[in-house]
Structures are given as C-alpha cells and as structure tokens.
Amino acid sequence: MGFLQIQFINLLAILVIIASSKSSLSATPPNFPIALKPNCTDHCGNTSIPYPFGTTEDCSQSDDFFVTCNKKLHPPKLFLWDSNIEIIDIKLDGQLRVLQFIASDCYHRNGTRASYKEPWIWFSTFTVNNTANKFTVIGCDTYGSIYGQRFDRYYMTGCTAYCYEKDDLIEGSCTGSGCCWTSIPKEVSTVNLTLSSYYNFSYVWDFNNCSYAFLAEESAFTFSPENMTNLRNVEELPMVVDWAIGNGTCEEAQMNPSSYACKSRNSSCYNKTDNGHGYRCSCWEGYQGNPYLIDGCQDVDECKDPSLNICEKRCVNTPGGFYCACPKGYHGDGRKGGQGCIHGESLTFKLTAGISLGVIVLLLIACWLHLELKRRRQTKMRQMFFLQNGGMLLREKISRREGSSDTTTIFSEFELHKATNNFDNNMIIGKGGFGIVYKGCLPHNRIIAIKKSKEIDLDQIEQFINEVIILSQINHRNVVKLLGFCLETQVPLLVYEFINNGTLFEHIHNEAKARFLSWETRLKIAAETANVLAYLHSTASTSIIHRDVKSANILLDHTLTAKVSDFGASRLVPSDQTQLSTLMHGTLGYLDPEYMQTNQLTEKSDVYSFGVVLVELLTGKKVLSFDRPEEERGLANLFLFVMKEDRLFEILEENVMREGNKKEVMKVVMVAKSCLHLKGDERPCMKEVAMELEGLMLGEKHPWGQTGHNEEVKGLLLEGELSGAINVGDDNSTSIGFDSEKDHIMLPIRGGR
Ligand SMILES: *[C@@H]1O[C@H](CO)[C@@H](O)[C@H](O)[C@H]1NC(C)=O
Ligand SMILES: *[C@@H]1O[C@H](CO)[C@@H](O)[C@H](O)[C@H]1NC(C)=O
Ligand SMILES: *[C@@H]1O[C@H](CO)[C@@H](O)[C@H](O)[C@H]1NC(C)=O
Ligand SMILES: *[C@@H]1O[C@H](CO)[C@@H](O)[C@H](O)[C@H]1NC(C)=O
Ligand SMILES: *[C@@H]1O[C@H](CO)[C@@H](O)[C@H](O)[C@H]1NC(C)=O
Ligand SMILES: *[C@@H]1O[C@H](CO)[C@@H](O)[C@H](O)[C@H]1NC(C)=O
Ligand SMILES: *[C@@H]1O[C@H](CO)[C@@H](O)[C@H](O)[C@H]1NC(C)=O
Ligand SMILES: *[C@@H]1O[C@H](CO)[C@@H](O)[C@H](O)[C@H]1NC(C)=O
Ligand SMILES: *[C@@H]1O[C@H](CO)[C@@H](O)[C@H](O)[C@H]1NC(C)=O
Ligand SMILES: *[C@@H]1O[C@H](CO)[C@@H](O)[C@H](O)[C@H]1NC(C)=O
Ligand SMILES: *[C@@H]1O[C@H](CO)[C@@H](O)[C@H](O)[C@H]1NC(C)=O
C-alpha cells in the first residue's frame, strides 16, 4: 500500500502546484551570483551590478550595458556608460533607476531672470518608462514642456501651472493649481525640458519666484505647497528607464545561440512589451536568480519563505514548486486556508486502494486459473499418450495375468523425470539408432536404466505392447530385467535394471579389459548367452527370436555374468509357424546370410549371430574390419577360411591359446563352425549349443576334464553329440528347464502377412 500512498501524494502535489502558481511569490534577497565572473564587480557602493551590466567590456553583455563606478566619490556612485547619468538601482526584470536633474527658472523681484536650468538626457537603446514616470511642472506663473525623440521621430508635450494666492494650492493635488503633470508617450529615448513664465512672477513673487519641471518616477513625488520653495534644495529625482537585450524579438535572437542572452536553464524569453525593441529573460515560476547567467535560475525554497507559510503540518519543496503534505492517516490539501489535514483516508485513496486490491485479486484468480488449466491440459496429455501408447491394452493384459507378472511397474512421468534429473544430458549412458539410454536413480538408491526410444509408429503400438509383455515375463538371470515402463510421454519409456560393467564388446575389444577375460570366463559367457537364446527360442506357444544378437547387446555385471539386452528388434514366432518373413533387421557382420537372401526369419538366424559372437570370443577380433582383404572382412568368413587352411591357431586370442585346453578350444571351435553353416537347416538349434557349452564349462570346472584318462571318452561323447546336433536340426521337445509361457499371445505382425 506504500506505493499507492506515494502515488496519492504525488497527485496532491500536482494539484497544489497548479493552485499555488496563481499566488505571487515575493522575491527573497538574492543569495546567488549575479555577476558574470568572480572578478567582475557586482556592486558599487550599495548599488548592485547584475549581469548583463558590468563595469568592464568582459563583464557586460554589450556596450549598452557598460557602467562606470566612480569610487573617488564618497559614497561611490554608479554611472551609465561614461556619462553623468547616475544609476541608483538596477532591476533584473528590465528596469533601472537613474537620477534626473530638475529644470528650474527663477526671477528677481524686478522681473528679471535670476537663474535658469534646462537639463536634458539621452539614452541610445534604452527607453524612458512611460507608465512609471510623470512629467511634472511646479509654479504659480509657469508653463513647462517636455520634448525629444522617440527613436527617429519627435514628440512634445507639456502643461501650465498657475495660482493667484498661496491658498489656491492643494496638498497632494497636482491638477493645475501650482502643479500640473502629464504622461509621456512610449518609446521615448531623449528628454529635453523647458520652462517659461507668463508674467515673470510679478504678481506672485512674494510666495513663489521659481518654476520647476522634472520627469520622475511618479511615486517619488507627491505635491505639497512647501515644494514651491523647498524644491530649490533638490537637484535630482529618480526616473525609471527600461532596458532590454538587442533590438530584435526572442525568435530572432534564438536563431543565433551564441549571442542569445537567456543562458540559464529553467528560464524563458519574452518580448519587451510595447515600449521599444529587444527581448528579456526571466526565470520560471518557482525559480529565482539571474536568467542571463548559466545556472543563474535557482529553485526557490518556498517552504523557507515566511510569507508563504501556508501549510498546516508539513511543507515539501520541489523543483519549481512545493506542496503541503499530511501525516499518515490524514488527507486533504494541508493548507491553512484550505481543507487542512483531515483525519481518515480520502475517498480517492479509498477508491484507488479498492481498485488496486480488486485488480490484484483478479490477477491472482487469473494466475490460479492459468495454472489449473495448464495442469489439466498436462494430465489430459499424459492420459492421451497413455492411451495412444496402448496403456489400456497393457493394463488389461497385465491384470489378466496378475499371478505371473509380479514385478513390472507402470511408472509415472513424474517419477522418471525425478529419477533422471529431468532427463539431464549428464545422465545419458548410451546413444544409438534405437534411441537414448539414461541412467536414473529411484528412491532407496535403486539404479535403473531408462530407454527412450525413437518416436514410435502408431501402427506398431500393439506389437510394442506384446514385446513389453513378453519381456516383463522373461525372468531369467541372464536377461536384463524389464522393471517397468511409462506410457504418459509421447514416446514410451522402458525401465530396465542397471547393469554396471559395460558390454561384452568393450571387454573383448578394449585391450586392457581383454587381458582379464580369461578362457574360463569366455566359456562361461558363451554358455550363459547360449542358454538365454535357447530359453527364448523354446517358450511353449511362441518362440522369441532376438534378431540382434551381438557382443554389444550382451551386458556384463560386476561378476562378469552375461545379461542379454535390447529386445527392440525381437520378434515373436507362433509355434505353428517356423519362419516369418520380415523386413531385414540386424547388424552387419552378425547377419545370417540365408536370412539376407530370403528374408525368411527363423530361430537359426540367432544361431548364426551367436556363432559370430563365439568366434569373437575365441579370436578377440573385430567382426568387421576393413584392414583385412575383402573376402576376410567379415569375421565369419575369415574364421571359416583359416579353418579350411588349417591355420586356425594363428588367429586365436592370446588368453585362449595360453589357458585353454586345446581339445576344449577345438570343441568350441567346432560349435562355432557348425553355427556358421550357410544353410540354416544344417545349423544346430540353440538348445544343443547351450548344452554343449554348458557341458564344456562344467568340464572346465571339474578336474576330471583335465585329467588324462577320461579325456578320450568325453571327447568322443561330445563329438558325437555335436555331430548329432548338427544333423538333427530343430527339436522343440528338449526342455532346458525354464518356465515356459503360459498364455498364448496373438501376433499381429505386419511383416508376417
Ligand atoms: C581576476 O583578475 C586577476 C587580475 O586581473 C587575474 O589574475 C585572475 O586570474 C582573475 N580571476 C578570474 C577568476 O578571472
Ligand atoms: C548602504 O546602505 C546601508 C543601509 O541600507 C547604509 O547604512 C550604508 O551607509 C550604505 N552605504 C553606502 C556606501 O551608501
Ligand atoms: C525668492 O524668494 C525667496 C523668499 O520667498 C528669497 O529667499 C529668494 O532670495 C528669492 N529669489 C531671488 C532670486 O530673489
Ligand atoms: C533687478 O534686481 C537685481 C537684484 O536685486 C539686480 O541685480 C538687477 O540689476 C535689477 N535689474 C534691473 C533691470 O533693475
Ligand atoms: C520677463 O523677463 C524676460 C527675461 O528676463 C524679459 O525678456 C521680459 O521682458 C520680462 N517681461 C516682463 C513683463 O517683465
Ligand atoms: C535637447 O537639448 C540639447 C542641448 O541643449 C540639444 O543639443 C538637443 O538638440 C535638444 N534636443 C532636441 C530634440 O531639440
Ligand atoms: C515636497 O514637500 C514635502 C513637504 O515638505 C517634502 O516632504 C517633500 O520632500 C518635497 N518634495 C521634494 C521632491 O522635495
Ligand atoms: C538593431 O540593431 C542593429 C545594430 O545595432 C541595427 O543595425 C538595426 O537597424 C537595429 N534594428 C532596429 C529595428 O532598430
Ligand atoms: C515576440 O514578438 C513577435 C512579433 O511581435 C511574436 O511573433 C512572438 O511570438 C513574440 N514572442 C514572445 C515570446 O512573446
Ligand atoms: C515600466 O515600469 C513599470 C513599473 O516599474 C513596469 O511594470 C512596466 O513593465 C514598465 N514598462 C515597460 C515597458 O517596461
Ligand atoms: C532547472 O534547474 C535545476 C537546477 O536548478 C535543474 O536540476 C533542472 O533540471 C532544471 N530544469 C530544466 C527543465 O532544465
């Protein structure tokens, strides 16, 4: 409310200033510089010399304003130019007073003239003030005249004063009896006075033997009968002369700023009113000082002026004005003659306060409405995305299988935003063709990985849902677990458990890490991966084809346990269908050549890709390398080529060579070779591969695998199994001991139709 009060006081101040501008401000004695420079004499005796007047050429505005101070006289006297015209007062509003000699004409008793004085005065550019001065003639046998020049024209006027006896004279009346007066025309610049007598005072000599005439300030002379005689002792009387700058108008002067005389800020120019040429300057209302000097006009502190003591409580000075203020809780104009200060808030104040309060309340309501609408819109959007992303279908399917799906959670957008610090760039842990993977942290320090896919095709929504459902049901220690998902965003978000030790790809191809990847670990990883794939392929009603098996999709945890990930490309194949034609998908180097040719997707494609991973584990070489000759660029080709040439041991990885039992290594090599068979039908199925590798791994762990006497037998056994596997082909009946799917899921895969 403080702001409102200030506004209100300002309003009041404006009103007061408007009102006060009519009241005249009496001038206080000047306490500001009046001369142009410190060196310029600003007074002569008791007479001040304000600029544009000055006693030297540098100190005066022009020759017109040059004055002389005669300090030899006592007291010193000021004279206009170097004449004998004595100046007694200079006013900044355009007048100055000079002393003017009185004309006199005296006679002897015998009728002869005793003395005669006929003074005259001449001003070049100044003019005699025609309203302040009167031409007065005194005498009982007299007529006096005044004449001279009005610029380049002439004038003459006068009057007659007569009386018979002393009693004819009237105190204070100058109407012809012993005294007469007349006005003079304007623009008078020279004054000559003459006096004449009709009868040489022969009839009135006993009480009046002299005539007098003068042009003087009206207020300086009031007629009294005694003046018939006592005027003899007076030599001079004051006369008012008008001065102005130059001889043009304000507009003409302003065209030449260097010579323009109104130098001060807060000053203005006005034409000399109808008595001669030139212009004058004046300070604005509320300012005082010398408008002819730079910064000559200063603010008048009206509050210090006792004659303006009109405020009841408090007077506040402002530049160019002032206002009366009332204390807090009072209103009114605060002036003594006016309203004064009245207790209580004014109507205007109440009105302003009321309106302001109303506006504030309205604003608050608008704000609240805006936020509420925004919140609703966001909720609606979330719901829309949820539906669009198949939320209902998912929820329904999940609720139907309540018993089996235990841990899949539907996350809210808010939770995931919080977990990833609003999807901060620092939280990105992976980027690729599929989208972006963020690391997130749920409450209780549960670390998760959030996959934000690329925008999803609306037609694939149902398929996406099926995949989510499948993944949410795979509960295998070697598959990255899907913890939940979020459908409230435009792009569905998948939430996985966070695997902290990188990908198999890194461990194989980063030299520092590869050294720690022992033969035993390699075998273990291979067996675990094979196990997972076998599990996926062998679910009861549908089998899941991963379609993108590669070392970069196998994650490792801190115990180097394999976790297969990225089921983004995976397809479900109903059990009554052994193959499926789809658009080609996969990673170059791992892609099944048969699938490439026929576009027919079968489980055997995964077997081929796994074979490549196996070779990668065995050799530590890149799957695709352009450093190798063209036919050996693909690792699979290179592998098969060196096998044929019997140079296999040239390309095996160091750890494998050093630590691996030669026979075991050969077994794995044979498994890899069978997986890489060009014809899918001739590759073993995943289950067989998994069993073979698992067997080898157990053999590796148990000392009998290394002791000599059983080696032969076991080798034969394995060889037999292996060749059997190669020849048998598909066999779904073998159970590896995983829980299989309970539900049958219909599959609307476009590619399949
Ligand atoms: C005043 O006049 C004296 C002598 O004429 C000169 O030395 C001095 O600089 C002047 N001061 C100013 C402020 O003009
Ligand atoms: C100036 O005026 C004061 C009073 O107004 C007077 O006492 C003083 O004598 C004057 N001085 C001169 C030099 O006229
Ligand atoms: C004029 O008269 C007065 C007295 O009335 C006298 O003192 C004075 O000398 C006279 N003037 C002349 C010139 O005679
Ligand atoms: C008139 O009187 C004066 C003085 O009294 C004298 O000097 C003068 O000569 C007289 N004039 C005549 C014409 O008598
Ligand atoms: C008045 O005086 C003037 C000048 O001295 C003289 O010429 C004139 O004759 C006188 N007149 C009378 C009537 O004495
Ligand atoms: C006024 O009187 C002076 C001096 O006697 C004279 O020179 C001047 O011409 C007179 N002015 C006029 C307008 O007659
Ligand atoms: C006229 O006479 C009165 C009364 O004696 C006197 O006060 C006044 O000063 C006189 N005027 C002039 C101009 O001498
Ligand atoms: C103004 O003054 C100038 C020079 O002082 C002069 O030439 C000009 O004629 C004057 N104009 C008027 C209207 O007096
Ligand atoms: C001055 O006078 C001129 C002409 O008479 C006129 O146009 C102009 O407005 C006046 N200026 C002022 C400030 O009065
Ligand atoms: C004449 O003097 C009076 C009073 O001093 C003043 O008000 C008026 O403005 C002056 N006349 C001119 C034309 O300056
Ligand atoms: C008036 O003068 C004051 C200083 O006295 C200055 O602060 C103010 O800006 C001036 N006003 C204008 C309009 O120049």
Side-chain angles (χ1 to χ4, degrees):
M1 289 298 126
F3 167 75
L4 292 172
Q5 202 139 5
I6 289 164
Q7 286 297 317
F8 176 62
I9 288 173
N10 280 348
L11 193 82
L12 201 71
I14 291 164
L15 292 175
V16 170
I17 287 168
I18 289 167
S20 68
S21 62
K22 277 169 199 148
S23 68
S24 66
L25 303 174
S26 73
T28 44
N31 52 354
F32 39 80
I34 53 169
L36 182 62
K37 295 171 193 162
N39 261 3
C40 292
T41 315
D42 64 355
H43 65 276
C44 181
N46 271 0
T47 313
S48 61
I49 311 170
Y51 188 77
F53 292 88
T55 52
T56 66
E57 245 174 68
D58 284 347
C59 291
S60 61
Q61 200 261 354
S62 73
D63 290 349
D64 293 343
F65 300 100
F66 173 64
V67 292
T68 321
C69 182
N70 191 343
K71 290 182 177 154
K72 284 175 197 154
L73 301 173
H74 199 79
K77 283 182 180 171
L78 188 66
F79 294 96
L80 190 59
W81 313 308
D82 39 13
S83 71
N84 62 344
I85 305 171
E86 190 190 341
I87 302 174
I88 55 167
D89 185 21
I90 301 175
K91 282 218 173 87
L92 273 172
D93 53 4
Q95 273 88 46
L96 57 88
R97 279 206 193 80
V98 298
L99 287 179
Q100 160 70 328
F101 287 101
I102 296 175
S104 64
D105 182 17
C106 292
Y107 286 84
H108 292 297
R109 170 131 233 160
N110 58 16
T112 59
R113 188 171 256 158
S115 68
Y116 186 68
K117 209 156 74 178
E118 235 183 13
W120 66 284
I121 198 166
W122 173 78
F123 307 100
S124 61
T125 49
F126 298 162
T127 51
V128 177
N129 185 309
N130 60 311
T131 54
N133 298 308
K134 291 263 176 322
F135 174 60
T136 309
V137 174
I138 310 284
C140 278
D141 179 16
T142 306
Y143 64 88
S145 306
I146 180 170
Y147 65 93
Q149 272 179 293
R150 303 171 50 211
F151 295 121
D152 43 3
R153 307 207 64 77
Y154 289 91
Y155 75 96
M156 182 167 186
T157 186
C159 64
T160 294
Y162 208 83
C163 68
Y164 297 98
E165 326 182 319
K166 210 174 177 175
D167 293 342
D168 292 341
L169 305 174
I170 309 162
E171 179 88 34
S173 168
C174 198
T175 49
S177 298
C179 172
C180 71
W181 68 262
T182 182
S183 295
I184 58 160
K186 54 191 181 184
E187 295 171 357
V188 165
S189 61
T190 64
V191 172
N192 283 28
L193 302 175
T194 59
L195 280 170
S196 300
S197 162
Y198 294 101
Y199 309 107
N200 294 356
F201 291 87
S202 28
Y203 306 111
V204 292
W205 196 88
D206 46 339
F207 66 92
N208 176 224
N209 53 11
C210 283
S211 304
Y212 302 99
F214 48 87
L215 179 66
E217 194 177 5
E218 195 182 359
S219 59
F221 179 75
T222 312
F223 178 69
S224 160
E226 278 138 63
N227 295 133
M228 288 291 177
T229 49
N230 70 12
L231 263 181
R232 175 185 330 169
N233 311 318
V234 181
E235 277 213 313
E236 299 159 309
L237 280 176
M239 179 170 84
V240 177
V241 176
D242 294 332
W243 60 266
I245 310 278
N247 58 10
T249 64
C250 287
E251 282 70 20
E252 284 160 13
Q254 274 154 4
M255 279 191 269
N256 189 358
S258 65
S259 69
Y260 180 56
C262 305
K263 299 276 191 224
S264 177
R265 283 181 300 176
N266 298 328
S267 76
S268 54
C269 174
Y270 64 97
N271 293 335
K272 187 177 175 183
T273 49
D274 76 5
N275 187 14
H277 307 299
Y279 63 93
R280 289 174 184 158
C281 308
S282 69
C283 289
W284 289 353
E285 192 89 53
Y287 291 86
Q288 64 180 6
N290 191 336
Y292 301 96
L293 293 174
I294 293 166
D295 287 333
C297 290
Q298 310 269 318
D299 175 48
V300 179
D301 192 349
E302 292 88 352
C303 295
K304 294 207 175 113
D305 185 350
S307 68
L308 266 176
N309 186 17
I310 53 167
C311 288
E312 198 173 276
K313 300 270 185 206
R314 200 158 65 86
C315 174
V316 181
N317 184 43
T318 59
F322 75 103
Y323 62 88
C324 297
C326 284
K328 215 176 166 180
Y330 287 80
H331 75 276
D333 63 6
R335 294 163 82 99
K336 275 173 182 160
Q339 289 175 294
C341 286
I342 304 160
H343 194 70
E345 306 291 8
S346 74
L347 188 67
T348 330
F349 178 78
K350 282 178 191 157
L351 224 80
T352 322
I355 290 170
S356 310
L357 208 75
V359 168
I360 288 169
V361 167
L362 274 178
L363 275 177
L364 283 177
I365 289 176
C367 238
W368 177 80
L369 269 178
H370 175 76
L371 287 177
E372 177 64 19
L373 277 179
K374 200 170 154 190
R375 196 182 62 78
R376 280 194 194 175
R377 210 177 312 134
Q378 272 176 353
T379 311
K380 224 175 195 171
M381 284 276 275
R382 274 203 282 270
Q383 267 167 2
M384 194 193 76
F385 284 137
F386 185 80
L387 290 179
Q388 182 184 306
N389 292 335
M392 293 313 279
L393 209 60
L394 250 185
R395 194 184 282 165
E396 195 182 316
K397 289 205 166 161
I398 284 178
S399 66
R400 260 204 285 153
R401 53 176 69 242
E402 202 131 14
S404 66
S405 116
D406 41 323
T407 49
T408 310
T409 322
I410 298 183
F411 287 93
S412 73
E413 191 188 357
F414 175 74
E415 275 176 295
L416 297 188
H417 264 282
K418 215 172 122 188
T420 55
N421 201 2
N422 282 330
F423 292 102
D424 194 276
N425 279 349
N426 288 338
M427 305 296 268
I428 293 179
I429 51 173
K431 247 182 196 175
F434 53 85
I436 303 173
V437 181
Y438 293 88
K439 184 179 174 179
C441 189
L442 290 178
H444 308 301
N445 278 339
R446 218 168 128 207
I447 311 245
I448 51 170
I450 296 166
K451 190 161 110 179
K452 192 174 185 181
S453 331
K454 284 179 167 174
E455 210 161 318
I456 197 156
D457 184 352
L458 279 185
D459 298 337
Q460 294 180 357
I461 288 285
E462 209 159 342
Q463 190 183 321
F464 161 81
I465 293 161
N466 279 319
E467 284 175 11
V468 170
I469 287 173
I470 298 297
L471 278 176
S472 69
Q473 281 163 355
I474 297 176
N475 191 5
H476 190 286
R477 61 184 288 266
N478 295 118
V479 172
V480 175
K481 187 156 176 50
L482 181 78
L483 300 177
F485 46 85
C486 172
L487 301 176
E488 290 172 354
T489 48
Q490 193 173 7
V491 188
L493 301 172
L494 295 178
V495 180
Y496 294 96
E497 67 175 312
F498 181 72
I499 308 296
N500 58 0
N501 208 2
T503 65
L504 177 61
F505 181 87
E506 286 165 33
H507 282 266
I508 292 176
H509 299 294
N510 180 321
E511 264 179 54
K513 287 185 177 175
R515 264 196 288 136
F516 295 103
L517 210 57
S518 66
W519 165 244
E520 195 185 336
T521 314
R522 284 168 199 255
L523 195 56
K524 187 184 80 147
I525 291 168
E528 282 166 349
T529 310
N531 229 330
V532 169
L533 292 176
Y535 164 70
L536 292 175
H537 289 179
S538 66
T539 44
S541 50
T542 53
S543 67
I544 302 165
I545 299 176
H546 187 286
R547 276 230 292 181
D548 202 8
V549 177
K550 56 178 178 181
S551 57
N553 277 344
I554 299 168
L555 305 180
L556 297 177
D557 70 5
H558 61 285
T559 62
L560 294 179
T561 301
K563 301 270 185 182
V564 176
S565 78
D566 198 355
F567 289 79
S570 306
R571 285 291 173 271
L572 298 158
V573 184
S575 53
D576 52 358
Q577 226 175 321
T578 52
Q579 58 184 35
L580 189 67
S581 67
T582 63
L583 284 175
M584 201 139 64
H585 192 284
T587 307
L588 221 59
Y590 294 93
L591 256 180
D592 172 11
E594 193 184 52
Y595 170 46
M596 265 161 86
Q597 274 171 8
T598 60
N599 271 4
Q600 295 297 308
L601 180 68
T602 68
E603 293 166 4
K604 295 299 174 63
S605 298
D606 277 355
V607 175
Y608 183 89
S609 302
F610 175 75
V612 178
V613 173
L614 214 49
V615 174
E616 223 180 330
L617 274 167
L618 282 168
T619 62
K621 291 201 183 313
K622 286 255 165 71
V623 165
L624 266 185
S625 173
F626 292 94
D627 298 338
R628 300 197 283 257
E630 197 180 342
E631 62 277 8
E632 295 173 14
R633 266 181 202 161
L635 183 58
N637 285 348
L638 173 68
F639 176 75
L640 294 175
F641 180 70
V642 296
M643 285 272 294
K644 211 187 280 172
E645 301 254 298
D646 241 351
R647 293 191 288 120
L648 180 66
F649 289 94
E650 285 172 24
I651 64 163
L652 286 183
E653 208 266 347
E654 256 178 66
N655 281 356
V656 177
M657 289 289 284
R658 199 171 53 241
E659 300 166 8
N661 175 303
K662 201 171 169 190
K663 265 198 177 151
E664 271 175 10
V665 174
M666 269 324 286
K667 292 264 165 60
V668 178
V669 166
M670 289 317 288
V671 172
K673 190 186 169 195
S674 65
C675 288
L676 293 178
H677 217 288
L678 272 183
K679 281 199 178 134
D681 287 343
E682 298 186 9
R683 296 172 202 155
C685 71
M686 220 53 230
K687 227 171 293 172
E688 291 160 328
V689 175
M691 280 173 70
E692 176 75 25
L693 292 175
E694 213 160 56
L696 276 175
M697 198 179 70
L698 292 173
E700 170 83 11
K701 273 185 189 154
H702 296 294
W704 64 262
Q706 260 124 15
T707 56
H709 76 281
N710 267 340
E711 213 168 314
E712 195 79 356
V713 185
K714 189 182 151 247
L716 282 172
L717 178 76
L718 286 166
E719 215 148 17
E721 262 181 39
L722 193 63
S723 54
I726 291 167
N727 294 331
V728 167
D730 263 356
D731 182 2
N732 277 352
S733 61
T734 321
S735 160
I736 329 176
F738 298 115
D739 282 347
S740 50
E741 284 279 313
K742 282 176 188 161
D743 258 6
H744 175 87
I745 293 165
M746 277 309 294
L747 263 191
I749 296 176
R750 275 185 306 158
R753 305 283 143 96

